[in-house]
Amino acid sequence: MSETQAVFQNRTPPKPMPHDLALRSRAARVIPGGMWGHMSAKRLPPAFPQFFKSAEGTRLTDVDGNTYIDFMCAYGPMILGYNDPDVESAVNAQQVRMGIANGPGEAMVDLAELMVEMIPAADWAMFAKNGTDATTACVSIARAATKKRKILVATGAYHGAVPWCTPWPGGVVAEDRAHLICYAYNDVASLEAAAEEAGNDLAGIIASAFRHDARVDQEMPTSQFAGAVRAMADRNNAVLILDDVRAGFRLNLGGSWEPLGVQPDLSAWSKALGNGHPIAAITGREWLREAVQNVYVTGSFWYAAAPMVAAMTTLQKLRRLDAVTHMARLGQKLRDGIADQAATHGIGIRQTGPAQMPLVLFDNDDELEKGYLFTTTALEHGVYLHPWHNMFLSAAHNTEDIDRALEGTNAGFKAVADVCG
Amino acid sequence: MSETQAVFQNRTPPKPMPHDLALRSRAARVIPGGMWGHMSAKRLPPAFPQFFKSAEGTRLTDVDGNTYIDFMCAYGPMILGYNDPDVESAVNAQQVRMGIANGPGEAMVDLAELMVEMIPAADWAMFAKNGTDATTACVSIARAATKKRKILVATGAYHGAVPWCTPWPGGVVAEDRAHLICYAYNDVASLEAAAEEAGNDLAGIIASAFRHDARVDQEMPTSQFAGAVRAMADRNNAVLILDDVRAGFRLNLGGSWEPLGVQPDLSAWSKALGNGHPIAAITGREWLREAVQNVYVTGSFWYAAAPMVAAMTTLQKLRRLDAVTHMARLGQKLRDGIADQAATHGIGIRQTGPAQMPLVLFDNDDELEKGYLFTTTALEHGVYLHPWHNMFLSAAHNTEDIDRALEGTNAGFKAVADVCG
């Protein structure tokens, strides 16, 4: 145990969380490892709760009754606040009329029309449930449209959790990735090398809205990079796929690369689209309309009307509130406050990515000891931050939330300074 | 045009469906081909509506106000009736408290415990959204557990709609199926040949609960076949995966192969589990618990509590109602009535599969002309049947529904007899 670890362990009082621990113990018997995937608390410091019991606005309450100002937004889906009254009342009205049926309701057409109107690169839309459904369909559509096979993917990028893209090797065979070629995000030379390797078999290039890989500094796409991706796709009659699953509707309602003036051929959406209701979408340009019809994708719940009504309500409300500006402004206020606190405490940190999807990493913190201490202390002060995954602002956050959050972060920096200063 | 086609076309009055046609026309502009997947009305006779506006009990109403007794149950998810009051009130209570959060609610543990209790082959459970999520995860788990690669799959079986299993070739590359080896359902010799081809690289065998491939007669698994699959998996230290996505909870609440005395190592569930609320599940046996933890699968909405509450309520109510017996009994009543009518009209048909998941195919009907005329006529009489996909009974169907349905089928047989008799 390192000195920092020892101090950290001695310092952190065992927060009483009897209900959480009891549920973890029950879960350990009936769920492998007690939990799986991105919401496993094993990925977080020990004081973080695994189970929650209520959610309202920007507040989450765990099963032991601790309430937090939340800056994870359920890892992205929450964008208008938990239990948003407009979304929930629209969903309830739809659900009473019709949940599922032998076909969709009018809401599907309404939502497709709205997305085609709002998103300049969208000439059509279709819907699914998971972000992974959308990214996987985009790859299939690119291959069907071009009758080519190679897909360029940024090293370390997360595009979902099926064998072609899941970040762990378990259960993956080599063939699942036979036609993927890696490039480095924002690195045009590496992109060109990857394209050269693909030769005349280049079907598509997939890129995240920005580099939001876990545990490393985030990077906004440079104009040069986005332009090079677009030009390369054009030059090779290949498909530019923008993975806007995580960032979608937080950076720009028309698509995250709109400010760069670069339009993708296909976009994958999910997360925030329905303010937590399960929906994903694929939008694309006219020239791909025929090819889409040769790709068979479907799912039992993909035609359900309620999540489409949720998405309609969410998009319209985001537009009405000018929510992107609001989230960016409050994110910047949080970022500025954190930067001031870090300077005051003499602690080196890096804040990267868009302000509304912040990531805070500490200098000289490969083992995340500082990050764990910082977020654990903030949690004890009622502020739910993440030590190594990008966080999320929402339209429901207000300046008071940011002020309260900054009290938590200040306590966090003080704790880090006490141990490491 | 054949003579039958000509008569069929002349006979079918153009049912007025102005709202449906208007929506189809709007959809054609913003959705490639106007619709996709298993709910595309292009797969059905022209009189079938594409869009629905309400659903209650066993009744569906299309956007033109036509109400049907439904025998598709949204292609399986509906099992207690549309808008079931018990499920919906439990879901609403949960949704108000907490939709999504940064972790699951207690409902996940409750549901995992219930499935482990109800399903003899389940020592653990985990959850997803799509049936495809579950089947795909099962394949990954089998490979992770065995460190082998080959998966035996029945020719023509539907296990989902991603590249390794989707029924259309568009967007699929050869490598997606490099380690699949086909066998014929219920054919032990072909299974043995496939296993021989896999050699010492056999990771798993996937089988549907019964043979429910579209457009062909259904087949229940023989004891000999199910036993051979189990023995082959045991002999090769391979994983027996039961795809219970479509049949699950309609044949046996403990798993569709329970009556055969054959326990799978892994089971994939979805469709009826949440009475229409979006959820899938993977259950498995103890020896796979460790391997599961090496497979990274996740999704943005997989931890949402409301669909888990829906599933809890659905499973408990199915058990309380002895719903399987009810569905089998009413399905048999429908089947017997249809058999009598066909005999009376002198029309050769085949009714196959379990009575609660019926399929009616006509003899000498390769082009489905008789099937289309039959189901179109029934539709005009307010009965929603399917010409080539298995249908579904639910716990909400009652004897009056069956009597009414038999009026529709009698009209259908009369129409077929008039044309083809």
Side-chain angles (χ1 to χ4, degrees), chain A residues 57-103:
Chain A
T58 58
R59 298 300 196 277
L60 279 181
T61 301
D62 68 25
V63 289
D64 287 291
N66 304 296
T67 295
Y68 311 100
I69 305 178
D70 176 37
F71 287 91
M72 283 309 289
C73 296
Y75 288 76
M78 186 279 266
I79 191 166
L80 289 171
Y82 293 111
N83 201 23
D84 178 76
D86 296 320
V87 173
E88 296 309 308
S89 76
V91 163
N92 287 343
Q94 175 61 56
Q95 188 69 20
V96 167
R97 252 190 339 269
M98 183 175 85
I100 43 160
N102 295 347

Side-chain angles (χ1 to χ4, degrees), chain B residues 34-287:
Chain B
M35 193 53 59
W36 75 94
H38 69 293
M39 286 200 181
S40 171
K42 284 179 288 188
R43 297 153 50 102
L44 289 166
F48 277 68
Q50 177 65 77
F51 293 95
F52 293 84
K53 75 171 174 195
S54 65
E56 184 72 33
T58 57
R59 298 299 197 276
L60 279 182
T61 301
D62 68 24
V63 289
D64 288 291
N66 304 296
T67 295
Y68 311 100
I69 305 178
D70 176 38
F71 288 91
M72 283 309 290
C73 297
Y75 288 76
M78 186 280 265
I79 191 165
L80 289 172
Y82 294 111
N83 201 24
D84 177 75
D86 296 320
V87 173
E88 296 308 309
S89 75
V91 163
N92 288 342
Q94 175 62 55
Q95 188 68 20
V96 167
R97 251 188 343 265
M98 183 175 87
I100 43 159
N102 295 347
E106 182 168 3
M108 179 192 279
V109 183
D110 292 337
L111 178 58
E113 287 175 344
L114 180 62
M115 293 186 77
V116 166
E117 180 217 316
M118 281 180 61
I119 301 162
D123 293 315
W124 50 262
M126 54 196 295
F127 305 102
K129 286 288 119 179
N130 302 309
T132 305
D133 298 340
T135 56
T136 302
C138 286
V139 169
S140 293
I141 294 166
R143 286 175 171 156
T146 60
K147 310 226 186 297
K148 297 185 282 183
R149 298 176 299 177
K150 304 295 179 190
I151 304 287
L152 311 192
V153 187
T155 307
Y158 181 80
H159 295 299
V162 286
W164 78 266
C165 55
T166 191
W168 294 8
V172 176
V173 295
E175 286 80 359
D176 291 325
R177 298 170 184 207
H179 297 295
L180 302 185
I181 303 173
C182 283
Y183 67 89
Y185 200 91
N186 267 342
D187 180 339
V188 174
S190 78
L191 188 73
E192 281 168 357
E196 190 160 339
E197 188 181 333
N200 57 12
D201 199 18
L202 181 60
I205 309 158
I206 185 167
S208 300
F210 63 96
R211 188 182 181 209
H212 46 51
D213 310 348
R215 296 167 194 269
V216 296
D217 293 334
Q218 304 193 108
E219 283 180 44
M220 295 305 288
T222 64
S223 282
Q224 189 205 10
F225 170 70
V229 171
R230 180 67 270 170
M232 175 175 294
D234 290 340
R235 203 162 52 237
N236 291 278
N237 297 312
V239 175
L240 167 50
I241 302 167
L242 185 66
D243 181 350
D244 228 339
V245 168
R246 196 185 301 179
F249 312 112
R250 275 192 166 84
L251 304 200
N252 189 295
L253 295 188
S256 294
W257 280 16
E258 269 305 295
L260 296 168
V262 173
Q263 293 196 344
D265 298 299
L266 289 171
S267 296
W269 312 86
S270 183
K271 293 251 185 225
L273 177 55
N275 198 46
H277 291 272
I279 187 164
I282 303 138
T283 58
R285 296 170 81 183
E286 194 56 42
W287 73 279

